[in-house]
Amino acid sequence: MMQIVLAVAAGGAAGSVLRFLTSAWVVAHWPRHYYLATLAVNLVGCFLIGLLSALFLARTDLPLALRTGLITGVLGGLTTFSSFSLDVLRLFENGQPGVAIAYLLSSLLGGLLAAWLGMLLVR
């Protein structure tokens, strides 16, 4: 278990640094379009979580620490949007389209509302 925890921690640090470096690069080159960094890490993270999850389903012989460190650690540090996207897809694949749509809408709208309320409280 400790090996998995360390893999997630190391991967999370790497993913967070990658997100920071991406943001710094985008802001340095296109300051008015700072949001492109978030879009980029979200899209790359979604692509990678799809690729890795399919690979790891086919390659269960790969160490659990490696699989968890990459998906939960690196991609979790890079973006949680990738995990969210995979969850929605899994719900659709498992024949739960109503739950998938409810989860998708409540996450997006609920997240926006929660962020707005947090800002409102401070202002």
Side-chain angles (χ1 to χ4, degrees):
M1 179 65 158
M2 185 53 78
Q3 186 180 23
I4 295 170
V5 169
L6 292 173
V8 170
S16 295
V17 169
L18 285 170
R19 181 176 60 216
F20 168 76
L21 292 173
T22 302
S23 293
W25 189 85
V26 167
V27 168
H29 291 85
W30 304 298
R32 291 181 46 205
H33 303 289
Y34 63 90
Y35 54 87
L36 292 176
T38 302
L39 177 63
V41 296
N42 283 339
L43 293 177
V44 167
C46 289
F47 171 77
L48 289 176
I49 203 168
L51 184 131
L52 290 176
S53 65
L55 174 69
F56 294 158
L57 284 173
R59 294 286 314 271
T60 57
D61 60 308
L62 294 172
L64 181 59
L66 173 68
R67 293 181 282 149
T68 308
L70 288 173
I71 288 186
T72 303
V74 174
L75 295 180
L78 183 65
T79 172
T80 57
F81 195 76
S82 59
S83 297
F84 163 73
S85 298
L86 185 62
D87 288 344
V88 171
L89 288 173
R90 283 182 176 161
L91 287 167
F92 275 114
E93 287 177 347
N94 290 333
Q96 298 177 282
V99 175
I101 291 168
Y103 175 56
L104 183 133
L105 291 176
S106 62
S107 294
L108 292 176
L109 298 177
L112 288 169
L113 179 62
W116 177 74
L117 287 173
M119 291 173 73
L120 188 66
L121 286 174
V122 172
R123 290 180 182 161

